[in-house]
Structures are given as C-alpha cells and as structure tokens.
C-alpha cells in the first residue's frame, strides 16, 4: 500500500510514525479521551436536567465533574459512595432542620459536629470510602444552610438534590462505560503482570550483591506504593468486572503474598549486606552457590511481564528448586564446616539458608496463586486475611477538629454579620474541608481550589454578563462552556494542578452555569464568589495552623505507630497475623512517606524504621508459628528454659520499641543472647537439619533478630553503646 501512495503520504505507514502515535495514544491520548468524555457527559447531564426542569441543573453537572475518572471502575465506585453519602447527608440534614429549625445557633453547632465527624471519617477511611464520608458531611451543609430560611421546604430540597445527583451519576457511568472504556480491571492485570518482572530483577541484583542502598530503598518504596494502590484497584474492579469479581479472593491473596515475599527478601538481603560489610568473605562464599542457583532461575522472568502461563512455568521451576534445596544445603554445610567456622559464623550460614528457604516457599505460593488466575474457580480463592489499613486516630481527629472549628467560626461570622452570602461561604468551606481532608496536604489543596475558583469567577463574570445574554439555545451554551470544562478537566488530569482544576470545574459551575430561569444579578454574583474564595482561604489557613497533617508531630506519631507494630506482632492473635502485620506496617509507611514529601531525611528515617520493624516483627511471628506447631515432647514443653527465655525476650522487645533507649537496647540484646544460649543448650529428638529441626529454625530466627538489632544501618544504631563483644559482632 505504501509503495503506490504519493511520497508525501508514505509517512503515514512508516514504522516511526506508528510507534509515535501508539506512544501518544497510551499517554496523552488517554487524557484527551477522558477530557472529551467529561465534556460529553456534562452536556448530556445538563441538557437532561433542564429538560426535566430540575431546580438546580448545575448540581447534576457538578456531579459529573466529581465522579468522572479515566477508568470506568473508578467512576462506578465513586458514584456508589457519592450516592450513599448524599442519602446519609440528606437524611441528617432533614433531622437537624426538624430539631433546630427555630434556633440557628444550635443548628450550626450540630452541623459543625456532624461535618467534623464526617471529615475525621474521610481521613481515616481512604480511597473512595472516604468520599462517602465527605459527601455525607457537605451534603448536609449544602442542603441545610439554604433551607434554614424556609424549613418547610427542607425535605423537598433533599429529594431534589438526590435526584439531581442520581442523574449525574447515571450519565457519568453510561458515558464512561460506553465510549472508549478504560477499565480498572485491565489496569490491574497490567500492574500485576509488570510488577513481578521488576521484583525478579530486584531480587537477582540483590542475590548477586549488585544493588545499591539508594536503589534498594527506592524499590521498596515503589513496592509499598504498588501494594497499597493495587488494594485500591482490587476494591474498584469488583464494581465493573464479573471476571475479576470471581477472582477477588485470589487477588487479595496475591497482594498479601507479594508483601510477604518482599519482606522475606528484604530480611535475606539485609543479612547478606551485613555479612558483606563485616568482611565475612568465607561465610558469603559458602552461601553464594545456593543464591546463584535461585538468581539463574529468576533470570528468565526478570524485567518482563509475568503472564498466567509464565507463572505456571515459574511454579514448576520453583517446585524443583525447593525440593532439591535441603540436600543442597547439607552439601554446602559439609563443605563449609571443613573450614572450622565459629559458632557465630555457623549461625550466619544457617540463618541465611533458613531465610532463603522461607523466601522460596513464599515465592512458590505467590506463583501458584498467580497461575490460578487462569482458572474461573480455584481452591486458592478461599482467603480470609484481607488487607488491613492502619490510620493514626490522632490524625483523623485533627482533621475532624479542624473542620468543626472552621464551620463554627464561619457560621458565627455569618450569624453575627447577617451577610447574605455568609451561607455560601460556610457551605463552600464545608465542601472544601471535606474534599481536602483525605489529601496529604490539605492546605495546598484548599489554596489550589481557591485559585481555581478565582479563575472561574473571572471567566464566569465575562460569560454570565457579556456572553450568555446574547446566545440563544442549548448548543450555543455548550460552545461557550466547553473551553472552561476542557481547561478544568486538563488541569485535574495533572496531579500538581488537580486542586486548581477541581476548583475551576466545581465552582465555576456553582456560580456561573445558568439554571432554567437565569437571574442576572452582578451584586449577588460577586458576593457569592468572594464568599467562596474566602471560605477556601480560611480552610487553607486552618490547614496550615490547626494541627497540620504534614508537621513534625504527626511524623513522630506515625513513627511511634510503626514501632508499635512490633508489639502487635508479639501480642496479636496468631490467626491472620502475618498478612495483617504486613499490610498495617506498609500502610503506615505509605501515609507517612506521603506526608513527609519535601523532607527526604524524615522519609529516610521512617523507611529505616520500617525495615527494622518488618525484620524483627516477621521473625517474631515465625517464632510464634514454630512454637504453635511443635510436637508433644518434653524438649518443647512450655516450662522449658528456652521457651521461658523467648517470653522474656518478647517483653524486652516491647519495651525497646515503645521507648528506644540505650538501656532498653542493652536489655533486649541480653535477652536475645540468653534465648539463643538456652536453645543451644536444649537437646531434641530430631536430626539437626533446618528442614527437620524446629530448634535450629528457632535459633536462626533469634540470631536474625540479634543481627537486626545490631545493624549499623538501623535507627537503633544511635543507641548502640553496648559491650565490646556486641559491637565487634555488629561490625
């Protein structure tokens, strides 16, 4: 075809042009498809609302801007929670009007408490569940404040609002699903397939000693963000795809198992790095052959997508490797013992291979779960250990207090001054404080929304008073509104300007999109926009002054929460403890890392705490599991000195991680050393191999806890003024 075309047109069939087009279609092309879908859905909703003569067509149109997302699953999830939030907020508003219609002060006080509770809920329950709390809060304000002047119409106002929002939800959902749909399930499959290839490359580099500290930390931050993000995607895909809904348990299991293998490998990697830095070359050389075998196995999966067929091949390869590993370890140990290693060096050897075996076992389970996704139903679907998010209650309470304070202050100002636009200022503040509560930096979000609203006011004034009076018909109205909607949608697609785009779209529509009966009143227009901008600026100021979430006090609280996960590992219920511990710790780090943006040293300190918490906590959980399945034998009795020593060690670790100090670290190390010596002094009736000896596995985990506490890269190293023997071993 290209040969018979004129030369100027042959570039259409060139390989370079097609590659460039496909790259654009996968990046900016997706954004422009989203923008035009927003445009189409907004105009369809506005036209239907006007034809149905709803009281406020702009409310239906605003719903489109709020719920529209590039992926249809996100639209469904957000619409679902918006509808629930609207129903709840409307019901509360009707109840408050019924109780306090004759007493504005009590109404405003009750409304402030309600908005504060909803804002705290939005800060605590993230993703789209948070949006339901946001809507429940500011729906009560947006319907209730205007209804104060006419309490008898409060119920119908709530009904109309539910109908307007329902229309916006229906139109958004239909357009998102019908026109060039981008599904969340496709995004999740792609993320799952690509994630393992990146992780396999990360593992092979670590096993061969090629990873750098900065790259290691950056990769872990990425894996944490992906684990949290995939949990959000999983909760979205159940709304749009029955294929993924049938695999919901396996997807949850897969995410949990991925967190487990990253923790397992991090523990192995940290031990290997400590051995390499202490110049224990002969120990590293003795361990290296087994590591090299695994690295060569994973080379075929590194840096490439892991499809279901590839996962099946990985299962086969790991099964063979796992079955041959015990014999391989015995052979390597026999060779290693010819060099007459010390007790500490033998512990290092055994601990490294114990961690390697556990890592391979977990990796094998992950591959099995991934391969099972090819089946419509599978036994691995049975999974009752969900992702457990963890949010600091003080951060949530701070968001609620901030929201209640803002409403009390602005509501009091409105009552005291009788400013006609005071109700607008108060309800816009309620909406802004709710929308910004779930963001890491509410001050920045509120200020960006104020900037977008100011831009919308300037554009809206020109359109409302100089353009709208001259146009006739709905098509011309769409032509005039389209540039603003395109600009706002484009800004919302850019994370650094999302607040500006959101403010422009929502509050341009609030103040400048005409109703069926348009009122041209410049004084009310200007007053309302001044009230909107003032309300947002007050929210921004409150976010910077009243318990700001990105301040040092919260970082310290989140660091404390991270350390307390070790206490949870020691005292929590053993069933499902591993996955719960993993998800809680990662979720805390993900929150803290986002709040500490712009403070790299704080981020690094938090990440270092996460490493030591995961290492020690995971080892403790393994110790508890080993003790829970011990056979009945006098060597394993509860009264044995080694079991008593482990309980004493647990109490000392609780003290250490609740209150890190030199003395508590010394006590913790002494307790670990004592537990190791008690285990070494105990005889058991089984062969002394790591696959047959429970005490050898217990000793390996105790030794790993000791090396973690002595790690010079750990934040506990600042308290490390211990005995010369301990320092020498750490070095």
């Amino acid at each position: 075809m290209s040969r018979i075309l004129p030369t100027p047109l042959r570039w259409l069939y060139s390989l370079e042009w097609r590659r460039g087009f496909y790259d654009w279609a996968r990046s900016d092309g997706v954004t422009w498809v989203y923008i035009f879908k927003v445009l189409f859905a907004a105009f369809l909703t506005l036209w239907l609302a006007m034809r149905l003569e709803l009281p406020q067509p702009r409310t239906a149109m605003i719903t489109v801007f709020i719920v529209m997302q590039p992926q249809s699953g996100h639209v469904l999830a957000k619409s679902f929670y918006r509808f629930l939030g609207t129903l709840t907020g409307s019901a509360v508003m009707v109840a408050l009007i019924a109780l306090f219609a004759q007493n504005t002060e009590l109404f405003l006080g009750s409304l402030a408490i309600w908005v504060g509770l909803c804002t705290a809920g939005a800060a605590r329950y993230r993703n789209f569940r948070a949006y339901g709390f946001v809507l429940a809060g500011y729906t009560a304000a947006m319907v209730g404040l205007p209804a104060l002047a006419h309490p008898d119409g409060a119920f119908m106002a709530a009904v109309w609002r539910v109908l307007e929002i329902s229309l916006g939800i229906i139109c958004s959902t239909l357009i998102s699903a019908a026109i060039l749909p981008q599904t969340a399930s496709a995004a999740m499959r792609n993320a799952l397939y690509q994630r393992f290839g990146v992780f396999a490359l990360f593992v092979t580099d670590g096993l061969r000693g090629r990873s750098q500290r900065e790259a290691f930390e950056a990769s872990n931050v990425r894996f944490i963000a992906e684990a949290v993000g995939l949990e959000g995607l999983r909760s979205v895909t159940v709304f749009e795809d029955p294929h993924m809904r049938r695999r919901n348990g396996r997807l949850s299991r897969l995410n949990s198992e991925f967190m487990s293998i990253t923790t397992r490998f991090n523990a192995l990697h940290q031990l290997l790095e400590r051995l390499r830095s202490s110049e224990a070359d002969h120990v590293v050389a003795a361990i290296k052959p087994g590591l090299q075998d695994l690295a060569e196995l994973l080379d075929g999966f590194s840096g490439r997508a892991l499809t279901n067929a590839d996962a099946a091949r990985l299962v086969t390869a790991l099964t063979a490797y796992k079955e041959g590993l015990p014999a391989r370890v015995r052979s390597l140990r026999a060779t290693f013992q010819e060099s007459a290693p010390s007790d500490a060096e033998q512990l290092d050897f055994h601990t490294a291979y114990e961690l390697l075996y556990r890592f391979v076992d977990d990796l094998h389970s992950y591959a099995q779960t991934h391969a099972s996704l090819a089946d419509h139903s599978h036994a691995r679907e049975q999974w009752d250990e969900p992702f457990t998010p963890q949010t600091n209650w003080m951060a949530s309470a701070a968001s609620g207090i901030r929201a209640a304070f803002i409403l009390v202050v602005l509501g009091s100002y409105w009552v005291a001054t009788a400013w006609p636009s005071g109700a607008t200022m108060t309800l816009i503040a309620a909406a802004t404080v709710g929308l910004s509560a779930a963001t890491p930096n509410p001050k920045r979000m509120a200020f960006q929304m104020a900037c977008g609203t100011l831009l919308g006011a300037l554009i809206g004034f020109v359109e409302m008073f100089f353009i709208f009076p001259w146009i006739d018909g709905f098509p011309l109205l769409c032509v005039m509104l389209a540039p603003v909607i395109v600009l706002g949608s484009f800004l919302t697609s850019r994370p650094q300007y999302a607040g500006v785009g959101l403010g422009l779209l929502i509050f341009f529509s609030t103040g400048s999109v005409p109703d069926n009966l348009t009122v041209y009143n410049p004084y009310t227009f200007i007053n309302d926009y001044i009230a909107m901008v003032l309300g947002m600026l007050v929210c921004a100021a409150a976010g910077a002054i009243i318990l700001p979430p990105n301040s040092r006090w919260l970082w310290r609280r989140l660091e404390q929460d991270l350390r307390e996960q070790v206490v949870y590992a020691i005292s929590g219920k053993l069933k499902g403890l591993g996955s719960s511990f993993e998800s809680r710790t990662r979720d805390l780090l993900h929150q803290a890392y986002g709040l500490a943006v712009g403070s790299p040293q704080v981020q690094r300190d938090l990440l270092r705490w996460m490493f030591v918490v995961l290492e020690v906590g995971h080892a403790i959980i393994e110790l508890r599991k080993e003790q829970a399945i011990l056979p009945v034998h006098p060597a394993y009795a509860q009264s044995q000195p080694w079991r008593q020593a482990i309980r004493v060690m647990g109490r000392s670790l609780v003290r250490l991680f609740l209150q890190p100090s030199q003395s508590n670290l010394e006590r913790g190390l002494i307790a670990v050393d004592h537990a190791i010596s008690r285990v070494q002094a105990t005889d058991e009736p089984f062969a002394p191999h790591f696959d047959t000896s429970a005490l050898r596995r217990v000793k390996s985990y105790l030794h790993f806890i000791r090396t973690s506490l002595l790690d010079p890269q750990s934040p506990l190293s600042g308290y490390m003024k211990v005995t010369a023997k301990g320092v020498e071993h750490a070095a």
Side-chain angles (χ1 to χ4, degrees), residues 127-191:
N127 295 329
F128 293 120
R129 288 179 298 175
Y131 191 63
F133 283 94
V134 171
L135 262 295
Y138 82 69
T139 296
M142 297 191 78
V143 178
L145 290 174
L148 268 180
H150 304 284
D152 54 330
F155 178 78
M156 285 309 302
V159 171
W160 285 121
R161 180 164 180 82
V162 171
L163 291 175
E164 290 157 359
I165 287 174
S166 299
L167 177 63
I169 287 172
I170 292 171
C171 292
S172 301
T173 303
L174 288 176
I175 298 301
S176 178
I179 301 178
L180 298 176
Q182 299 287 324
T183 62
S185 55
M188 185 165 190
R189 288 191 194 95
N190 184 62

Side-chain angles (χ1 to χ4, degrees), residues 374-391:
D375 299 327
H376 196 55
S377 59
H378 197 277
R380 299 186 77 84
E381 182 69 23
Q382 305 304 317
W383 182 253
D384 59 352
E385 299 180 17
F387 186 94
T388 308
Q390 179 76 3
T391 306

Side-chain angles (χ1 to χ4, degrees), residues 466-495:
F466 296 97
I467 296 178
F468 290 166
W470 296 96
I471 65 174
D472 184 24
F474 187 77
L476 284 177
L477 176 63
C478 293
V479 171
M480 294 298 102
L481 295 177
V484 184
I485 297 175
V486 169
L487 174 62
S489 301
F490 179 79
L491 291 173
T492 57
S493 68
R494 298 294 183 265

Side-chain angles (χ1 to χ4, degrees), residues 428-559:
I428 293 301
T432 304
V433 76
L435 290 170
S436 62
T439 63
N441 193 339
K443 173 192 69 175
R444 182 173 179 269
M445 183 67 172
F447 183 74
Q448 282 196 347
M449 290 177 67
C451 294
T453 303
L454 181 60
L455 178 61
L458 298 175
I459 298 173
F461 186 83
V462 174
E463 293 209 357
M464 176 67 76
F465 300 106
F466 296 97
I467 296 178
F468 290 166
W470 296 96
I471 65 174
D472 184 24
F474 187 77
L476 284 177
L477 176 63
C478 293
V479 171
M480 294 298 102
L481 295 177
V484 184
I485 297 175
V486 169
L487 174 62
S489 301
F490 179 79
L491 291 173
T492 57
S493 68
R494 298 294 183 265
Q496 63 270 33
Y497 303 115
V500 178
L502 194 63
L504 175 60
L505 286 174
I506 294 176
F507 299 107
F508 169 81
S509 301
T510 300
S512 304
V513 172
D515 291 324
N516 277 322
L517 179 60
T518 306
V519 178
Y520 296 98
N521 187 335
Y523 300 104
T524 301
F525 180 93
I526 294 171
N527 267 281
D528 283 348
Y529 267 111
I530 290 174
M532 292 182 199
V533 174
L534 280 178
M536 294 176 191
L537 292 177
V538 169
C539 291
I545 297 171
I546 304 173
L547 303 174
N550 56 348
S551 58
R552 185 170 297 277
W553 73 272
L554 185 54
W555 299 337
R556 289 176 177 169
R557 285 301 311 170
L558 290 172
E559 180 187 299

Side-chain angles (χ1 to χ4, degrees), residues 207-225:
L207 293 175
R208 293 184 172 117
R210 298 192 304 222
S211 60
Q212 300 297 318
R213 184 74 187 181
E214 294 76 12
F216 176 78
E217 292 179 353
S219 296
N220 271 283
V221 172
R222 173 181 176 176
F223 294 145
I224 290 167

Side-chain angles (χ1 to χ4, degrees), residues 100 103-115 404 407-408:
F100 306 119
N103 194 317
T104 304
E105 291 78 9
L106 286 177
F107 176 84
L108 289 175
S110 302
L111 183 64
I113 293 172
W114 172 250
V115 172
L407 254 70
V408 167

Side-chain angles (χ1 to χ4, degrees), residues 602-679:
V602 174
Q603 290 181 321
R604 189 167 186 273
D605 291 342
L606 290 166
L607 192 62
R608 290 167 66 203
W609 272 117
M610 186 208 71
F611 284 137
V612 71
V613 165
L614 283 177
E615 289 176 18
V616 174
H618 214 278
I620 289 168
I621 293 171
E622 292 299 326
L623 278 173
R624 293 183 60 188
K625 288 181 178 178
E626 286 288 350
Q627 294 179 81
I629 60 173
L630 287 172
V632 178
H633 190 274
Y636 305 133
Q638 290 280 353
S639 58
Q640 280 287 333
W642 70 270
R643 299 199 68 170
Q644 294 178 15
I646 287 178
R647 289 194 288 271
V648 172
M649 180 198 71
R651 291 192 290 271
S652 68
L653 290 177
V654 167
R655 285 194 298 270
L656 172 61
F657 280 90
L658 287 179
Q659 294 181 333
S661 67
Q662 178 190 341
S663 61
N664 283 339
L665 178 58
E666 289 178 356
R667 291 191 188 97
L669 286 169
I670 291 170
V672 175
D673 286 337
H674 180 65
I676 292 174
S677 67
R678 293 298 87 204
V679 173

